[in-house]
Amino acid sequence: MLISPKLAAPPACHRSAAGPRCPGFFLPAAAMVTRRPRRRCRLLRRYSAPLMIVAVMGAVRTQNAEGCFDREELRMLCQESNPEAAINLLDEMLQRSGAGALVDLRSEEQVAVLQACGEARSLASLRRAHRLLSRSLPVIPTAILLRIASLYYKLGARSDAHRALEGASRPPGKNGQEDFDAKRLQAYEKVRELHEEICVAGYVPDTRYVFHDIDEDAKVRALMYHSERLAIAFGLVSTPPGMPLRVIKNLRICGDCHNAVKLIAKVTGREIIVRDNKRFHHFKDGDCSCGDYW
């Protein structure tokens, strides 16, 4: 049986200067010229963008190396409970810029690094952080020393906790006394500021709790400077934002101060715990744990 060559196989494509040509299909040369550069542009777009990102990241890292440390990177490391990396970041800055390089380290950032050490339950990291703060700061704030001592106790290092408490309870010298006097003046100023803020929030002084024979304005001033309000104001100017305040009072808190502290906790966003001679009062977001039962 004879089979025609045309039926046995399809005709081969003929190449020409205009491009490949098959029966029923024709691709002009202009399309071939434009298609290849288009593929090349895709490749350039695909591989050139990461190179630009790498160059920008290198410039940012160089700028951070020459300037201050990256606060955002420190915050992320503390949130990930990676105290070793956070302390290494601070240690690099200290070695690069010398003593006093971490003076601008905020108190909340110090607390975040210490809290990361506690969450990781790393006593070695906590000791490194303590040494780093002692070496870089002229004076460690008392609130930070108390936090360090508390973490030492939680990790079972009682001797280290005692040494931290000794540093917190050391009698102040001349400069320390001046700092204390300045804090006291700030506390009185803070009391007046809080009084104005809670009045805007709806506070009305209840002068029934003042039994002295004085005029109404004097009674309002007497209520404003009650001991628990002074203690709260001193705590607000002496501790980092967000830290709970604990006040111990050997007398029963009066009804006017109870209402005032509820509003103070609301306007400052702090949790305030007051222990009077009857019970604990946990003030938070304008409410008290006793439900005004006292």
Side-chain angles (χ1 to χ4, degrees), residues 53-113:
I53 294 173
V54 169
V56 172
M57 291 295 292
V60 171
R61 287 173 183 170
T62 304
Q63 183 178 1
N64 288 338
E66 295 175 354
C68 61
F69 62 91
D70 192 349
R71 296 184 184 276
E72 183 66 21
E73 183 178 357
L74 180 66
R75 184 183 65 83
M76 293 297 296
L77 292 174
C78 293
Q79 287 182 351
E80 295 171 358
S81 297
N82 191 354
E84 282 296 323
I87 296 171
N88 289 336
L89 178 66
L90 299 180
D91 199 10
E92 289 175 4
M93 183 64 190
L94 188 63
Q95 292 177 1
R96 187 166 55 244
S97 303
L102 303 183
V103 174
D104 295 334
L105 189 65
R106 300 168 186 166
S107 53
E108 57 266 24
E109 293 169 345
Q110 301 174 25
V111 172
V113 173

Side-chain angles (χ1 to χ4, degrees), residues 38-57:
R38 195 176 302 165
R39 291 179 181 174
R40 193 175 299 117
C41 292
R42 287 199 196 101
L43 293 175
L44 288 175
R45 285 198 299 267
R46 182 177 179 183
Y47 293 105
S48 61
L51 295 177
M52 294 173 62
I53 294 173
V54 169
V56 172
M57 291 295 292

Side-chain angles (χ1 to χ4, degrees), residues 73-230:
E73 183 178 357
L74 180 66
R75 184 183 65 83
M76 293 297 296
L77 292 174
C78 293
Q79 287 182 351
E80 295 171 358
S81 297
N82 191 354
E84 282 296 323
I87 296 171
N88 289 336
L89 178 66
L90 299 180
D91 199 10
E92 289 175 4
M93 183 64 190
L94 188 63
Q95 292 177 1
R96 187 166 55 244
S97 303
L102 303 183
V103 174
D104 295 334
L105 189 65
R106 300 168 186 166
S107 53
E108 57 266 24
E109 293 169 345
Q110 301 174 25
V111 172
V113 173
L114 297 174
Q115 191 65 30
C117 296
E119 291 177 356
R121 302 196 63 81
S122 175
L123 182 59
S125 299
L126 182 58
R127 285 172 175 163
R128 275 192 67 196
H130 189 189
R131 288 194 300 268
L132 190 67
L133 293 177
S134 302
R135 203 166 67 243
S136 59
L137 299 179
V139 177
I140 300 179
T142 303
I144 301 299
L145 284 174
L146 293 177
R147 175 64 66 92
I148 292 173
S150 176
L151 291 173
Y152 274 140
Y153 270 117
K154 289 181 180 179
L155 297 179
R158 294 182 176 271
S159 59
D160 294 325
H162 287 311
R163 281 194 294 270
L165 290 176
E166 287 176 1
S169 61
R170 191 172 300 157
K174 183 178 180 180
N175 294 334
Q177 187 64 39
E178 292 176 357
D179 293 341
F180 180 78
D181 293 338
K183 287 288 186 182
R184 185 178 62 178
L185 295 177
Q186 292 177 14
Y188 276 93
E189 183 65 27
K190 189 67 175 178
V191 165
R192 292 188 283 270
E193 293 178 5
L194 290 174
H195 182 74
E196 295 177 358
E197 291 179 7
I198 62 178
C199 284
V200 173
Y203 167 72
V204 178
D206 191 352
T207 57
R208 295 178 302 169
Y209 293 95
V210 180
F211 302 106
H212 299 287
D213 188 12
I214 52 179
D215 58 9
E216 287 297 316
D217 292 338
K219 289 183 178 181
V220 171
R221 287 195 299 272
L223 289 171
M224 185 172 57
Y225 292 112
H226 272 191
S227 60
E228 50 266 52
R229 299 197 205 185
L230 287 171

Side-chain angles (χ1 to χ4, degrees), residues 203 206 208-209 223 226 228-229 252-262 294:
Y203 167 72
D206 191 352
R208 295 178 302 169
Y209 293 95
L223 289 171
H226 272 191
E228 50 266 52
R229 299 197 205 185
R252 191 174 182 182
I253 184 173
C254 74
D256 182 75
C257 285
H258 191 272
N259 295 330
V261 176
K262 286 196 298 183
W294 67 272

Side-chain angles (χ1 to χ4, degrees), residues 9-49:
C13 295
H14 298 284
R15 296 184 180 272
S16 65
R21 183 173 55 189
C22 295
F25 178 79
F26 176 75
L27 185 63
M32 293 297 296
V33 173
T34 57
R35 175 173 295 183
R36 289 178 183 174
R38 195 176 302 165
R39 291 179 181 174
R40 193 175 299 117
C41 292
R42 287 199 196 101
L43 293 175
L44 288 175
R45 285 198 299 267
R46 182 177 179 183
Y47 293 105
S48 61

